[in-house]
Amino acid sequence: MALTPLSQALPQILATIQSSPDTETVTLADASGRYAAEAVRSSMAVPPADNSAMDGYAVRAQDVPGDLVVSQRIPAGQAPVSLAPGTAARIFTGAEIPAGADAVILQEDAEPLSESVRLPAAREGQHIRRRGSDIQAGDQLIATGRCLQPQDIGLLASVGINEIEVYRPLRVAMLTTGDELREPGSDGLEPGEIFNSNRFSLAAQVRALGMSVTDLGNYPDEPELIGEALERAAATSDCVITAGGVSVGEEDHVRGQIELRGTLSLWKLAIKPGKPLAFGDVAGTPIFGLPGNPVSAWITFALVAKPWLIRRQGGSAEPLPRFPVQADFQMPRPGGREEFLRVRLSGSGTAMRASLTGSQSSGVLSSVSEADAVAVIPPDTTVKEGDWVEVIPLWALLSPAFGQAH
Ligand code: AMP
Ligand code: MG
């Protein structure tokens, strides 16, 4: 079976999404990290009125320079009266500009006299924040599908909105497979055993998207038990995610059980780590069968399952950001697959460099934990030290706001 580039496989996997997502209304306190289910427009201008950017004196520019009587005092929050011609108003940051005034003079530039204040010349409009200079009535603030960021929450609040319609979090059911797996917390391993890590790293990745996890635990390599678990998982979730049991070994039963109880398309992705990936449905519920090797599971979740889950929930994530840095490593032999190397970044600006964090084996989690980015090396490419390579920062790879790599 030929290997499929990720850039071809992912659009096909995403194209299977048909169901329309559910929505709910939340208050701003619960809206951060959620995907907007409505486009939001402002019904008002921000600022709602011209106001002072500084502490000082509001004047008519044509009245200065000169000594002016102070005819009113305007703290923030107080409505001013019209400025009497030939006078100044004492004004503070954020206070509304009185009608008739067209400039603010800094208090540092003013010299208070006994009956008046001596003011220098002023340019019309100086230190005035204009009505609507931030937002005009009718402006769109939030697009449907946007993953709401803290600053978006502030923006909504600034126009007086306190709730927003968002998509309901998906319910993701998860299980791992393997006779060799023991749960962390149990003491000691028998010969041949290892601790189950995928169950925890994958659940954490799902939760980082704001989705809920039903954790069905680990199942031994027995077809019936795995099959029944898949059906239980499918019955209570929007999507099932498994790890392990999808390669072509005799003990790899996830694949067979998906085929038996639903439909299966098996992908051999042209990416490293992470070749085999099962996608399909069990009893109508979509399922991702991720590879068992911990780094393969971690990266195929991030590159394939994550964009799918976001879109299925209703979100529209931005493409993953990539930027060029210089390699502090070499890759003398070209690989046939697109490689995602675990790297640590150093330096800044155009002098940024990427060095490998250690073994790139698909079972080695320590080098993932030490990485802050993955370098994306196209197939059939060699890398010399000093060559420019593209990196995707891990904060974006794992973030609910970013989706596809291509
Ligand atoms: P499999 O795809 O089931 O053949 O597993 C491939 C490799 O990943 C084997 O070395 C497994 O022991 C390992 N592996 C599978 N599942 C897990 C898991 N949940 N946690 C840690 N290692 C795993
Ligand atoms: Mg296995």
Side-chain angles (χ1 to χ4, degrees), residues 176-177 180-181 194-199 244-245 247 252 291-294:
T176 58
T177 64
E180 74 280 26
L181 299 177
I194 59 168
F195 283 117
N196 188 348
S197 57
N198 289 335
R199 179 178 173 190
S247 9
D252 291 320
N293 273 307

Side-chain angles (χ1 to χ4, degrees), residues 39-405:
V40 181
R41 290 182 181 283
S42 178
S43 61
M44 60 173 282
V46 177
D50 292 358
N51 69 82
S52 179
M54 293 291 184
D55 293 340
Y57 295 87
V59 297
R60 281 196 313 183
Q62 68 188 64
D63 292 341
V64 288
D67 296 349
L68 302 186
V69 168
V70 178
S71 54
Q72 62 177 313
R73 187 174 182 279
I74 319 167
Q78 191 168 302
V81 298
S82 296
L83 184 70
T87 72
R90 183 76 172 109
I91 197 163
F92 299 91
T93 304
E96 209 169 302
I97 303 290
D102 57 15
V104 170
I105 294 169
L106 301 189
Q107 62 186 21
E108 297 87 315
D109 297 336
E111 187 189 334
L113 307 172
S114 57
E115 302 288 307
S116 62
V117 61
R118 180 157 297 166
L119 296 167
R123 182 178 40 78
E124 219 176 280
Q126 76 177 28
H127 304 309
I128 292 178
R129 301 192 286 218
R130 290 288 177 202
R131 171 189 153 83
S133 58
D134 180 353
I135 298 161
Q136 303 272 353
D139 281 356
Q140 178 168 304
L141 305 177
I142 302 292
T144 305
R146 178 169 173 86
C147 182
L148 295 168
Q149 304 297 302
Q151 56 274 28
D152 301 330
I153 308 298
L155 189 66
L156 290 168
S158 78
V159 299
I161 292 173
N162 73 338
E163 51 180 39
I164 180 169
E165 194 179 6
V166 296
Y167 292 112
R168 265 187 206 284
L170 292 186
R171 298 164 306 160
V172 179
M174 292 194 27
L175 58 102
T176 58
T177 64
D179 288 338
E180 74 280 26
L181 299 177
R182 285 282 290 276
E183 295 312 310
S186 50
D187 31 59
L189 295 172
E190 300 296 324
E193 293 181 338
I194 59 168
F195 283 117
N196 188 348
S197 57
N198 289 335
R199 179 178 173 190
F200 299 90
S201 62
L202 291 172
Q205 276 185 286
V206 173
R207 291 194 183 102
L209 303 178
M211 298 171 186
S212 77
V213 174
T214 307
D215 180 359
L216 283 87
N218 187 59
Y219 290 82
D221 291 311
E222 288 176 32
E224 268 304 300
L225 290 179
I226 292 175
E228 285 163 17
L230 290 178
E231 296 216 2
R232 272 201 308 285
T236 57
S237 66
D238 301 305
C239 177
V240 179
I241 292 183
T242 69
V246 291
S247 9
V248 288
E250 286 171 15
E251 299 293 336
D252 291 320
H253 302 302
V254 173
R255 225 169 5 101
Q257 290 300 309
I258 298 175
E259 217 158 12
L260 194 66
R261 294 162 196 270
T263 52
L264 171 81
S265 53
L266 188 67
W267 295 89
K268 286 216 161 129
L269 298 177
I271 62 172
K272 187 178 174 185
K275 188 161 48 178
L277 174 91
F279 178 69
D281 76 273
V282 168
T285 301
I287 179 167
F288 284 93
L290 305 181
N293 273 307
V295 188
S296 306
W298 175 82
I299 196 125
T300 50
F301 179 90
L303 293 173
V304 185
K306 191 185 88 161
W308 188 95
L309 290 168
I310 292 172
R311 182 162 318 170
R312 169 67 183 79
Q313 188 172 314
S316 57
E318 301 290 325
L320 287 168
R322 294 179 178 218
F323 53 90
V325 304
Q326 282 183 292
D328 255 346
F329 59 87
Q330 46 180 339
M331 226 180 77
R333 282 182 300 132
R337 300 185 259 163
E338 183 179 31
E339 287 205 34
F340 294 86
L341 302 174
R342 294 145 241 180
V343 297
R344 176 169 277 287
L345 303 175
S346 60
S348 62
T350 54
M352 199 115 117
R353 302 184 75 85
S355 50
L356 300 181
T357 51
S359 164
Q360 298 292 315
S361 155
S362 60
V364 171
L365 270 180
S366 55
S367 58
V368 182
S369 182
E370 280 168 33
D372 44 34
V374 287
V376 187
I377 312 298
D380 308 317
T381 307
T382 59
V383 179
K384 299 186 307 296
E385 219 162 291
D387 281 357
W388 291 90
V389 295
E390 285 194 328
V391 295
I392 298 172
L394 293 197
W395 59 258
L397 188 67
L398 303 174
S399 158
F402 297 93
Q404 294 177 234

